[in-house]
Each structure stands twice: as C-alpha cells, then as structure tokens.
Amino acid sequence: ANIAGKFVITATQMLESMITNPRPTRAECSDVANAVLDGTDCVMLSGETANGEHFEAAVTIMARTCCEAESAVNFDSLYQAVRNSTIRRFGRLSTSESIASSAVKTAIDVKAKAIVVCSSSGNTARQIAKFRPGMKVIVLTTEAQTAAQSYGVLKGCTCKILPSLEDEDKLIAEVIDDMKKAGDASAGEPIIVVHGAVAKKGSTNTMKVEYV
C-alpha cells in the first residue's frame, strides 16, 4: 500500500484493555508502535473512546506512543526505501510523483520546516505523504472533500480550505506568516512549495524552496 501511494488506517482493538483499565498493556503499546514503524498513515480508536471509561487517557497514550515511535524513524532512509521500491515495481515515476519525490528529498536535505502543497484533487498531497517526509505537510485546497480526505488521514498532513488558488505568492506568504505566529518557523528557515503553473487539477509541475 505504501508503494502504491494508498493511505493505511490501522484500527480495531488497539488499546482494548483501556475500555475498563486506566493503562494499556505493554503488548498493546507495542502493537501501536509497530503499526507506526511498519508504515501506517494513521491509527484509530473505536470502543476505547465510544464506550470506554478512560477515553481521554486512551487518546493521550495513543498519541504519545505514536510520537515516540516516530522519533525512532530515519526519514531519509525511509524515503530512499519507498522511492527505490516504487521504481523497482513500476519501472518509473509519473511526473507528479517525481516532483513529490524531489520535494521530499529536498526538504530532508535542507531541513525544511514544512512542505506546502497547492492541490485541488489531493493527488499531489497523497504522493508527498507516500514518500514519508519527516516534517509537516500543509495542503492548500479549494475542495472540502480533498481537505476531509487529507487532514489527519495522510501522514503528517494538515489542510486549509481557500476560495481560490490563483494568487499563489500571496497564499504562500500567508502560510509563512501563520507559521511564524505559531512558532513553527523562524526567519531564514526554508519551506518547500509544490504547485502547478495553473490552478487546476492535474497541473502540478513545480517545486521550489522559499524562506521564512
């Protein structure tokens, strides 16, 4: 699924003992951590939060376990593994896949604070998430459906719904300003921008480095 660029949700009874107990078992925590290390995009609780006695603790422990597992991931090696496996299986990368791959590699090399993606359909966002960047991916879109399918589902992606993607320079400036206000980036730090020459579906052809 990772090689095909399909997002993966790992769900069902991940912290089942927390329906009645305030703490999970070690085996359950190991299962959550292994799901992250094996390449899942997101993990999901069900009964633990729907009818559990410790729903808030379940969410907190799940999040902490995922963060701890991700801290052990070498994102450069993971990127290389996904890219090489994709080429080995399919023989080549598509144009948008190649741009997504280059964007993630550049972001890793320059230690970018974020990757900003202008995407109407969400396809470019999915391809960037496929290559497992180790930083935040900010998806700018005009479609509520694209935002719903990306935010919190694709690995590392957050979304912002906008009325138009036409004035790309202004949009990037606003994103940079928001990052500075939130303390996510400081002056002089790089971010990667991926977009198309025209704001329409299937036109992604540009990757560039901007500075805060």
Side-chain angles (χ1 to χ4, degrees), residues 86-138:
T86 302
I87 292 174
R88 193 160 50 245
R89 178 164 181 179
F90 299 109
R92 68 183 188 90
L93 300 177
S94 67
T95 302
S96 57
E97 251 184 335
S98 178
I99 290 167
S101 169
S102 300
V104 173
K105 179 58 176 168
T106 303
I108 292 169
D109 288 347
V110 303
K111 291 184 168 48
K113 286 297 179 180
I115 300 175
V116 180
V117 189
C118 299
S119 180
S120 295
S121 66
N123 190 48
T124 305
R126 280 191 290 275
Q127 289 172 342
I128 285 178
K130 162 184 173 171
F131 289 105
R132 296 297 189 254
M135 65 289 298
K136 182 188 292 188
V137 179
I138 303 170

Short mmCIF file of all heavy atoms in Angstrom, two decimals, residues 86-138:
data_model
loop_
_atom_site.label_atom_id
_atom_site.label_comp_id
_atom_site.label_asym_id
_atom_site.label_seq_id
_atom_site.Cartn_x
_atom_site.Cartn_y
_atom_site.Cartn_z
N THR A 86 9.36 1.73 -5.34
CA THR A 86 8.40 2.17 -6.37
C THR A 86 8.98 2.01 -7.76
O THR A 86 8.31 1.48 -8.67
CB THR A 86 8.01 3.65 -6.13
OG1 THR A 86 7.47 3.80 -4.83
CG2 THR A 86 6.98 4.11 -7.16
N ILE A 87 10.24 2.43 -7.95
CA ILE A 87 10.88 2.31 -9.27
C ILE A 87 11.09 0.85 -9.63
O ILE A 87 10.89 0.44 -10.79
CB ILE A 87 12.22 3.09 -9.28
CG1 ILE A 87 11.94 4.59 -9.18
CG2 ILE A 87 13.02 2.77 -10.54
CD1 ILE A 87 13.18 5.44 -9.03
N ARG A 88 11.47 0.04 -8.64
CA ARG A 88 11.68 -1.39 -8.90
C ARG A 88 10.38 -2.07 -9.33
O ARG A 88 10.38 -2.93 -10.20
CB ARG A 88 12.24 -2.05 -7.64
CG ARG A 88 12.79 -3.45 -7.87
CD ARG A 88 13.75 -3.88 -6.78
NE ARG A 88 13.24 -3.67 -5.45
CZ ARG A 88 13.76 -2.81 -4.56
NH1 ARG A 88 14.82 -2.10 -4.88
NH2 ARG A 88 13.25 -2.67 -3.36
N ARG A 89 9.27 -1.65 -8.75
CA ARG A 89 7.99 -2.31 -9.07
C ARG A 89 7.35 -1.78 -10.35
O ARG A 89 6.83 -2.55 -11.15
CB ARG A 89 7.03 -2.12 -7.90
CG ARG A 89 5.67 -2.74 -8.17
CD ARG A 89 4.86 -2.90 -6.92
NE ARG A 89 3.59 -3.52 -7.19
CZ ARG A 89 2.68 -3.81 -6.28
NH1 ARG A 89 2.94 -3.53 -5.01
NH2 ARG A 89 1.55 -4.37 -6.59
N PHE A 90 7.38 -0.44 -10.54
CA PHE A 90 6.66 0.16 -11.67
C PHE A 90 7.57 0.60 -12.81
O PHE A 90 7.09 0.99 -13.88
CB PHE A 90 5.82 1.35 -11.19
CG PHE A 90 4.78 0.98 -10.17
CD1 PHE A 90 4.93 1.36 -8.84
CD2 PHE A 90 3.67 0.23 -10.52
CE1 PHE A 90 3.99 1.02 -7.89
CE2 PHE A 90 2.71 -0.12 -9.58
CZ PHE A 90 2.87 0.27 -8.26
N GLY A 91 8.89 0.59 -12.59
CA GLY A 91 9.82 0.95 -13.65
C GLY A 91 10.14 2.41 -13.76
O GLY A 91 11.21 2.79 -14.24
N ARG A 92 9.24 3.27 -13.31
CA ARG A 92 9.47 4.72 -13.38
C ARG A 92 8.50 5.44 -12.45
O ARG A 92 7.58 4.84 -11.90
CB ARG A 92 9.26 5.23 -14.80
CG ARG A 92 7.81 5.17 -15.27
CD ARG A 92 7.62 5.61 -16.71
NE ARG A 92 6.20 5.71 -17.05
CZ ARG A 92 5.46 6.79 -16.90
NH1 ARG A 92 6.00 7.90 -16.41
NH2 ARG A 92 4.18 6.80 -17.22
N LEU A 93 8.71 6.75 -12.29
CA LEU A 93 7.79 7.60 -11.54
C LEU A 93 7.01 8.47 -12.52
O LEU A 93 7.55 8.88 -13.55
CB LEU A 93 8.56 8.50 -10.56
CG LEU A 93 9.41 7.83 -9.48
CD1 LEU A 93 10.14 8.90 -8.66
CD2 LEU A 93 8.57 6.97 -8.57
N SER A 94 5.76 8.77 -12.19
CA SER A 94 5.00 9.72 -13.01
C SER A 94 5.55 11.12 -12.78
O SER A 94 6.35 11.35 -11.87
CB SER A 94 3.52 9.68 -12.63
OG SER A 94 3.34 10.18 -11.32
N THR A 95 5.12 12.09 -13.59
CA THR A 95 5.62 13.47 -13.46
C THR A 95 5.35 14.03 -12.07
O THR A 95 6.25 14.53 -11.39
CB THR A 95 4.96 14.38 -14.51
OG1 THR A 95 5.23 13.87 -15.81
CG2 THR A 95 5.51 15.81 -14.40
N SER A 96 4.09 13.91 -11.61
CA SER A 96 3.76 14.47 -10.29
C SER A 96 4.43 13.68 -9.17
O SER A 96 4.83 14.26 -8.15
CB SER A 96 2.24 14.49 -10.10
OG SER A 96 1.70 13.19 -10.25
N GLU A 97 4.60 12.37 -9.36
CA GLU A 97 5.31 11.55 -8.37
C GLU A 97 6.77 11.97 -8.26
O GLU A 97 7.34 12.05 -7.18
CB GLU A 97 5.25 10.08 -8.76
CG GLU A 97 4.37 9.23 -7.89
CD GLU A 97 4.44 7.77 -8.28
OE1 GLU A 97 4.76 7.44 -9.42
OE2 GLU A 97 4.18 6.95 -7.39
N SER A 98 7.38 12.24 -9.42
CA SER A 98 8.78 12.66 -9.44
C SER A 98 8.96 14.00 -8.72
O SER A 98 9.91 14.19 -7.97
CB SER A 98 9.26 12.77 -10.89
OG SER A 98 10.59 13.21 -10.94
N ILE A 99 8.01 14.92 -8.93
CA ILE A 99 8.07 16.22 -8.26
C ILE A 99 7.87 16.04 -6.76
O ILE A 99 8.57 16.65 -5.94
CB ILE A 99 7.02 17.18 -8.84
CG1 ILE A 99 7.42 17.57 -10.27
CG2 ILE A 99 6.88 18.44 -7.99
CD1 ILE A 99 6.35 18.25 -11.06
N ALA A 100 6.94 15.17 -6.38
CA ALA A 100 6.71 14.89 -4.95
C ALA A 100 7.96 14.28 -4.32
O ALA A 100 8.37 14.67 -3.22
CB ALA A 100 5.52 13.95 -4.79
N SER A 101 8.58 13.33 -5.04
CA SER A 101 9.80 12.70 -4.56
C SER A 101 10.91 13.73 -4.38
O SER A 101 11.61 13.75 -3.35
CB SER A 101 10.24 11.62 -5.55
OG SER A 101 11.54 11.15 -5.26
N SER A 102 11.08 14.60 -5.37
CA SER A 102 12.11 15.64 -5.29
C SER A 102 11.85 16.61 -4.15
O SER A 102 12.77 17.06 -3.47
CB SER A 102 12.18 16.41 -6.62
OG SER A 102 12.51 15.55 -7.69
N ALA A 103 10.57 16.94 -3.95
CA ALA A 103 10.20 17.87 -2.88
C ALA A 103 10.57 17.29 -1.51
O ALA A 103 11.13 17.99 -0.66
CB ALA A 103 8.71 18.18 -2.93
N VAL A 104 10.26 16.02 -1.31
CA VAL A 104 10.57 15.38 -0.02
C VAL A 104 12.07 15.26 0.18
O VAL A 104 12.59 15.55 1.27
CB VAL A 104 9.90 13.99 0.07
CG1 VAL A 104 10.34 13.26 1.33
CG2 VAL A 104 8.38 14.13 0.05
N LYS A 105 12.81 14.87 -0.86
CA LYS A 105 14.27 14.75 -0.75
C LYS A 105 14.91 16.11 -0.46
O LYS A 105 15.79 16.23 0.40
CB LYS A 105 14.83 14.18 -2.06
CG LYS A 105 16.35 14.04 -2.07
CD LYS A 105 16.86 13.16 -0.94
CE LYS A 105 18.36 12.93 -1.02
NZ LYS A 105 18.88 12.33 0.22
N THR A 106 14.44 17.15 -1.15
CA THR A 106 14.96 18.50 -0.90
C THR A 106 14.64 18.95 0.51
O THR A 106 15.48 19.54 1.20
CB THR A 106 14.38 19.49 -1.92
OG1 THR A 106 14.67 19.05 -3.25
CG2 THR A 106 14.95 20.89 -1.72
N ALA A 107 13.41 18.67 0.97
CA ALA A 107 13.01 19.06 2.32
C ALA A 107 13.90 18.39 3.37
O ALA A 107 14.29 19.02 4.36
CB ALA A 107 11.54 18.68 2.56
N ILE A 108 14.23 17.12 3.14
CA ILE A 108 15.12 16.41 4.07
C ILE A 108 16.52 17.01 4.02
O ILE A 108 17.15 17.25 5.07
CB ILE A 108 15.16 14.90 3.71
CG1 ILE A 108 13.81 14.24 3.99
CG2 ILE A 108 16.27 14.19 4.51
CD1 ILE A 108 13.67 12.83 3.44
N ASP A 109 17.01 17.30 2.82
CA ASP A 109 18.38 17.80 2.67
C ASP A 109 18.58 19.19 3.28
O ASP A 109 19.61 19.46 3.89
CB ASP A 109 18.76 17.84 1.18
CG ASP A 109 18.98 16.45 0.60
OD1 ASP A 109 19.09 15.50 1.40
OD2 ASP A 109 19.04 16.31 -0.63
N VAL A 110 17.59 20.08 3.07
CA VAL A 110 17.75 21.46 3.57
C VAL A 110 17.14 21.63 4.96
O VAL A 110 17.12 22.73 5.50
CB VAL A 110 17.14 22.49 2.59
CG1 VAL A 110 17.75 22.37 1.22
CG2 VAL A 110 15.61 22.36 2.52
N LYS A 111 16.59 20.51 5.50
CA LYS A 111 15.94 20.55 6.82
C LYS A 111 14.80 21.59 6.84
O LYS A 111 14.73 22.46 7.72
CB LYS A 111 16.94 20.83 7.93
CG LYS A 111 17.91 19.66 8.15
CD LYS A 111 18.84 19.91 9.31
CE LYS A 111 19.61 18.65 9.73
NZ LYS A 111 20.22 17.90 8.65
N ALA A 112 13.93 21.47 5.84
CA ALA A 112 12.79 22.39 5.72
C ALA A 112 11.84 22.22 6.90
O ALA A 112 11.70 21.12 7.45
CB ALA A 112 12.05 22.15 4.41
N LYS A 113 11.17 23.30 7.27
CA LYS A 113 10.23 23.26 8.38
C LYS A 113 8.87 22.71 7.96
O LYS A 113 8.11 22.22 8.79
CB LYS A 113 10.04 24.68 8.96
CG LYS A 113 11.22 25.15 9.77
CD LYS A 113 11.41 24.25 10.98
CE LYS A 113 12.60 24.66 11.83
NZ LYS A 113 12.75 23.79 13.01
N ALA A 114 8.55 22.80 6.66
CA ALA A 114 7.27 22.30 6.18
C ALA A 114 7.30 22.16 4.66
O ALA A 114 8.17 22.73 4.00
CB ALA A 114 6.13 23.24 6.60
N ILE A 115 6.36 21.38 4.15
CA ILE A 115 6.12 21.30 2.71
C ILE A 115 4.71 21.84 2.48
O ILE A 115 3.75 21.34 3.07
CB ILE A 115 6.23 19.86 2.19
CG1 ILE A 115 7.63 19.30 2.44
CG2 ILE A 115 5.91 19.80 0.70
CD1 ILE A 115 7.78 17.83 2.06
N VAL A 116 4.60 22.86 1.65
CA VAL A 116 3.29 23.45 1.33
C VAL A 116 2.86 22.96 -0.04
O VAL A 116 3.60 23.08 -1.02
CB VAL A 116 3.35 25.00 1.35
CG1 VAL A 116 1.99 25.59 1.01
CG2 VAL A 116 3.82 25.49 2.71
N VAL A 117 1.66 22.38 -0.12
CA VAL A 117 1.16 21.78 -1.36
C VAL A 117 -0.12 22.47 -1.78
O VAL A 117 -1.08 22.51 -1.01
CB VAL A 117 0.87 20.27 -1.19
CG1 VAL A 117 0.57 19.63 -2.52
CG2 VAL A 117 2.01 19.58 -0.49
N CYS A 118 -0.16 23.01 -2.99
CA CYS A 118 -1.39 23.53 -3.57
C CYS A 118 -2.00 22.39 -4.38
O CYS A 118 -1.45 22.01 -5.42
CB CYS A 118 -1.12 24.74 -4.47
SG CYS A 118 -0.39 26.14 -3.59
N SER A 119 -3.13 21.85 -3.92
CA SER A 119 -3.68 20.65 -4.54
C SER A 119 -5.20 20.70 -4.57
O SER A 119 -5.84 20.82 -3.52
CB SER A 119 -3.22 19.41 -3.76
OG SER A 119 -3.74 18.24 -4.31
N SER A 120 -5.78 20.63 -5.76
CA SER A 120 -7.25 20.64 -5.88
C SER A 120 -7.83 19.26 -5.61
O SER A 120 -8.79 19.10 -4.87
CB SER A 120 -7.66 21.10 -7.29
OG SER A 120 -7.29 22.44 -7.51
N SER A 121 -7.22 18.24 -6.21
CA SER A 121 -7.76 16.88 -6.09
C SER A 121 -7.21 16.14 -4.87
O SER A 121 -7.80 15.15 -4.43
CB SER A 121 -7.42 16.07 -7.34
OG SER A 121 -6.02 15.86 -7.44
N GLY A 122 -6.06 16.59 -4.34
CA GLY A 122 -5.42 15.90 -3.23
C GLY A 122 -4.42 14.85 -3.68
O GLY A 122 -3.73 14.24 -2.85
N ASN A 123 -4.30 14.65 -5.00
CA ASN A 123 -3.40 13.61 -5.50
C ASN A 123 -1.94 13.92 -5.17
O ASN A 123 -1.19 13.03 -4.74
CB ASN A 123 -3.57 13.47 -7.02
CG ASN A 123 -2.85 12.26 -7.56
OD1 ASN A 123 -2.97 11.16 -7.02
ND2 ASN A 123 -2.09 12.45 -8.63
N THR A 124 -1.53 15.17 -5.34
CA THR A 124 -0.14 15.55 -5.03
C THR A 124 0.14 15.39 -3.54
O THR A 124 1.22 14.94 -3.15
CB THR A 124 0.14 17.00 -5.47
OG1 THR A 124 -0.19 17.15 -6.86
CG2 THR A 124 1.60 17.36 -5.27
N ALA A 125 -0.83 15.74 -2.71
CA ALA A 125 -0.66 15.58 -1.26
C ALA A 125 -0.46 14.10 -0.91
O ALA A 125 0.38 13.76 -0.08
CB ALA A 125 -1.88 16.14 -0.53
N ARG A 126 -1.23 13.23 -1.56
CA ARG A 126 -1.08 11.78 -1.31
C ARG A 126 0.30 11.29 -1.72
O ARG A 126 0.91 10.47 -1.04
CB ARG A 126 -2.17 11.01 -2.07
CG ARG A 126 -3.52 11.01 -1.38
CD ARG A 126 -4.47 10.03 -2.03
NE ARG A 126 -4.89 10.45 -3.36
CZ ARG A 126 -5.88 11.28 -3.60
NH1 ARG A 126 -6.57 11.79 -2.60
NH2 ARG A 126 -6.20 11.62 -4.84
N GLN A 127 0.78 11.81 -2.85
CA GLN A 127 2.10 11.37 -3.33
C GLN A 127 3.22 11.87 -2.43
O GLN A 127 4.20 11.15 -2.20
CB GLN A 127 2.29 11.83 -4.78
CG GLN A 127 1.40 11.06 -5.74
CD GLN A 127 1.43 11.62 -7.15
OE1 GLN A 127 1.84 12.76 -7.36
NE2 GLN A 127 0.99 10.84 -8.12
N ILE A 128 3.09 13.07 -1.90
CA ILE A 128 4.11 13.58 -0.97
C ILE A 128 4.08 12.77 0.32
O ILE A 128 5.13 12.37 0.85
CB ILE A 128 3.91 15.07 -0.70
CG1 ILE A 128 4.39 15.87 -1.94
CG2 ILE A 128 4.65 15.54 0.54
CD1 ILE A 128 4.20 17.34 -1.86
N ALA A 129 2.88 12.48 0.83
CA ALA A 129 2.77 11.67 2.04
C ALA A 129 3.33 10.27 1.82
O ALA A 129 3.90 9.67 2.74
CB ALA A 129 1.30 11.58 2.47
N LYS A 130 3.21 9.78 0.59
CA LYS A 130 3.74 8.44 0.26
C LYS A 130 5.24 8.36 0.52
O LYS A 130 5.74 7.33 0.99
CB LYS A 130 3.45 8.15 -1.22
CG LYS A 130 4.30 7.04 -1.84
CD LYS A 130 4.02 6.90 -3.32
CE LYS A 130 4.97 5.91 -3.96
NZ LYS A 130 4.61 5.59 -5.35
N PHE A 131 5.99 9.44 0.23
CA PHE A 131 7.44 9.42 0.40
C PHE A 131 7.88 9.76 1.82
O PHE A 131 9.07 9.94 2.08
CB PHE A 131 8.09 10.36 -0.62
CG PHE A 131 8.02 9.84 -2.03
CD1 PHE A 131 7.14 10.39 -2.94
CD2 PHE A 131 8.81 8.78 -2.44
CE1 PHE A 131 7.05 9.90 -4.24
CE2 PHE A 131 8.73 8.28 -3.72
CZ PHE A 131 7.85 8.84 -4.63
N ARG A 132 6.92 9.85 2.73
CA ARG A 132 7.19 9.94 4.17
C ARG A 132 8.14 11.07 4.59
O ARG A 132 9.22 10.82 5.15
CB ARG A 132 7.75 8.60 4.67
CG ARG A 132 6.77 7.43 4.54
CD ARG A 132 5.57 7.70 5.42
NE ARG A 132 4.67 6.58 5.53
CZ ARG A 132 3.49 6.51 4.92
NH1 ARG A 132 3.08 7.49 4.13
NH2 ARG A 132 2.69 5.48 5.13
N PRO A 133 7.75 12.33 4.34
CA PRO A 133 8.59 13.42 4.84
C PRO A 133 8.53 13.47 6.37
O PRO A 133 7.50 13.12 6.96
CB PRO A 133 7.94 14.67 4.22
CG PRO A 133 6.51 14.28 4.01
CD PRO A 133 6.53 12.82 3.67
N GLY A 134 9.58 13.90 6.98
CA GLY A 134 9.61 13.96 8.45
C GLY A 134 9.15 15.28 9.00
O GLY A 134 9.37 15.57 10.18
N MET A 135 8.52 16.10 8.15
CA MET A 135 8.04 17.41 8.62
C MET A 135 6.57 17.60 8.25
O MET A 135 6.00 16.79 7.52
CB MET A 135 8.90 18.55 8.03
CG MET A 135 8.82 18.73 6.53
SD MET A 135 9.64 17.43 5.59
CE MET A 135 11.31 17.61 6.13
N LYS A 136 5.99 18.68 8.74
CA LYS A 136 4.58 18.96 8.48
C LYS A 136 4.32 19.19 6.99
O LYS A 136 5.13 19.80 6.30
CB LYS A 136 4.17 20.21 9.27
CG LYS A 136 2.70 20.60 9.13
CD LYS A 136 2.42 21.94 9.78
CE LYS A 136 2.54 21.87 11.27
NZ LYS A 136 2.07 23.14 11.92
N VAL A 137 3.19 18.67 6.50
CA VAL A 137 2.75 18.93 5.13
C VAL A 137 1.47 19.76 5.21
O VAL A 137 0.48 19.32 5.80
CB VAL A 137 2.49 17.62 4.36
CG1 VAL A 137 2.00 17.92 2.94
CG2 VAL A 137 3.73 16.76 4.32
N ILE A 138 1.49 20.96 4.65
CA ILE A 138 0.33 21.85 4.68
C ILE A 138 -0.33 21.84 3.30
O ILE A 138 0.29 22.25 2.31
CB ILE A 138 0.74 23.29 5.06
CG1 ILE A 138 1.46 23.29 6.41
CG2 ILE A 138 -0.48 24.21 5.09
CD1 ILE A 138 2.12 24.61 6.76
#
